[in-house]
Amino acid sequence: MLTIIHLSHDDLLVSSLKNHFSINSLELKDKVHYQAQRETNEIFDTTKIVTAQILIIDSSLLIRSIEKKLIHFKLSQPKVKIIILSYNENVNSFARYLNLGINDIILRKTKIELMINRIISIVNCKPQRSISEKLKENYVGETLRETSIKIEKILYSSINSVLVTGETGTGKEMVADCLSHFLPKTTPLLRINCASLSSDLANSELFGYRKGAFTGAAQNQEGIFEKADGGWIFFDEIARLNLDSQAKILRTLESGEVRQVGSYKNKKVNVRILAATNESLEYMVSKGTFRQDLYERLRTYEIELPALRNRSQEEVGEILDFWLKKINENAKEVIRLSPEVHLLLLSYSWKYGNIRELRNLLRSLSICDLKEIITIDKLPEVFKSRFYNQFKEKLKKTNTEKEKEEETFPISFHAIEDTLFLNYLEKLSETTHPQKLSQNKIAKAFNMTRWKCLKKLKSIKESGKLPRKYEHLS
């Protein structure tokens, strides 16, 4: 028998659910034990084991102290499915609920019959594919791993609109790929690039058309919304939609109905939206080029992908190694980066394209003469110029006024190499005391030979830049 415990002060809702489970539904009678409670202390007592398979909590009871207990409860009893009954559609609240590790969010205004179906189905509701081996092989980095966990939770919640934001090249399309890995094979995920939609054709592409609706409409044609019925639509570059199409998409999301061009009848559709943009929709709303109501509807849940320069160097290194390995698999000769180039790539801001810029640079290196290791002088001139300018700006910000006056440019790339080396040496000394560092440890950390490491240390010492705490190494 399925046991459900419901923490609620909503007597009307409790009465409706109890009647449905015990009287109205012959299918569920004697198969479900529904129990309502007003007090939360007994449930969240970590010394006791809850025998229920489902725990339903009204959002009105989720004060901060209860949220902390809920986190501990989830860790101690992971098999219990937790559902939040939300009394509002606040974006921040949904985000907070998901971070608590709950399994589903159901709106209080949902019809009882639909609510019952969602509650019962969650017991057997398991991802068709967990984070599959294919997903692990193709997408790396802490950012995507965290995003994949969020996507999995969203998929089995009541959230029907997700907005993905971030600079160009941060991996917004990878979020759609991640979603497709979790979806059952029979659930559609259609993708559309809004930048490619002209004002004239947008409505017929999105909503379909009837035969004879316009010149060239030789037969009835379903639109994206009808084709994606029961599934998802990924709107890439959503900011590029014209205002007329924005209004019609909003109407479809609100009413759950579409009307084909040339038709007078509406059709019911059940579609969830994943939208992505590299532009500030909030700014566009203030300028009147994007609808405020559609913006609020899309950001029911928002996922922000940080730029590479704002991610940890460990994650950037993981992404760099991944793409290097992937490109080497299809290359005639293996790309081998010198330690200096590796450090340079980790320190670069990648502000012109993030992961895409990194990937394109490695691809351009794959056509070089790869008989020797790739050194800084073999990097494309455009990239060297960008990095050089970035380094100058960083140096100007960190130097004192006196040093700025004395500093002369251009700086040699050898000086840049020395600075990068010292920066990473400082990071290494955060986990290992400088006196316990050895040439072998440093060489291994920087992926260079011991002889190369010693030569670099002596070179920096001769220039007077080696801190005293590292002099024993040279």
Side-chain angles (χ1 to χ4, degrees), residues 61-120:
L61 299 179
L62 284 180
I63 58 177
R64 293 295 176 183
S65 58
I66 296 297
E67 289 183 5
K68 291 180 181 179
K69 292 179 180 179
L70 183 59
I71 293 172
H72 292 298
F73 177 86
K74 186 67 178 174
L75 292 172
S76 62
Q77 304 194 59
K79 291 184 179 180
V80 179
K81 305 290 185 181
I82 300 175
I83 300 172
I84 301 296
L85 275 180
S86 180
Y87 284 72
N88 60 63
E89 298 183 57
N90 183 276
V91 177
N92 295 328
S93 297
F94 281 4
R96 197 172 83 248
Y97 299 156
L98 288 174
N99 289 333
L100 293 174
I102 59 95
N103 298 92
D104 200 358
I105 302 170
I106 301 176
L107 294 176
R108 169 64 179 86
K109 65 182 183 181
T110 305
K111 291 181 180 179
I112 286 292
E113 291 78 10
L114 296 177
M115 190 183 291
I116 293 290
N117 290 337
R118 285 293 287 272
I119 293 170
I120 298 299

Side-chain angles (χ1 to χ4, degrees), residues 10 117 174 201 357 374 407 445:
D10 188 337
N117 290 337
M174 289 182 181
L201 298 177
E357 185 184 4
I374 300 292
E407 191 65 63

Side-chain angles (χ1 to χ4, degrees), residues 23 56 98 105 129 136 140 156 165 193 198 234 248 317-318 333 386 396 455:
I23 301 172
I56 305 172
L98 288 174
I105 302 170
R129 308 175 193 176
K136 290 180 182 177
V140 293
Y156 299 104
T165 61
N193 190 309
S198 66
F234 174 52
K248 291 180 178 177
E318 190 178 350
E333 295 185 52
R386 287 176 177 177
K396 284 179 181 178
K455 185 178 177 182

Side-chain angles (χ1 to χ4, degrees), residues 392-444:
K392 282 201 301 183
E393 289 299 317
K394 189 174 182 180
L395 199 62
K396 284 179 181 178
K397 290 178 182 177
T398 55
N399 282 342
T400 63
E401 291 300 321
K402 182 179 178 181
E403 287 173 332
K404 284 182 182 179
E405 292 173 5
E406 294 176 352
E407 191 65 63
T408 58
F409 292 100
I411 305 169
S412 70
F413 266 100
H414 290 294
I416 295 177
E417 287 178 21
D418 293 347
T419 304
L420 291 173
F421 187 88
L422 287 173
N423 287 345
Y424 276 81
L425 196 58
E426 286 293 330
K427 281 191 173 292
L428 196 60
S429 65
E430 290 176 3
T431 54
T432 305
H433 193 278
Q435 293 299 322
K436 293 184 179 181
L437 286 174
S438 64
Q439 292 171 4
N440 285 333
K441 277 187 178 180
I442 297 171
K444 186 177 180 180

Side-chain angles (χ1 to χ4, degrees), residues 368-379:
C368 297
D369 182 5
L370 300 177
K371 292 180 180 178
E372 298 180 4
I373 293 175
I374 300 292
T375 53
I376 287 179
D377 59 294
K378 293 182 180 179
L379 294 173

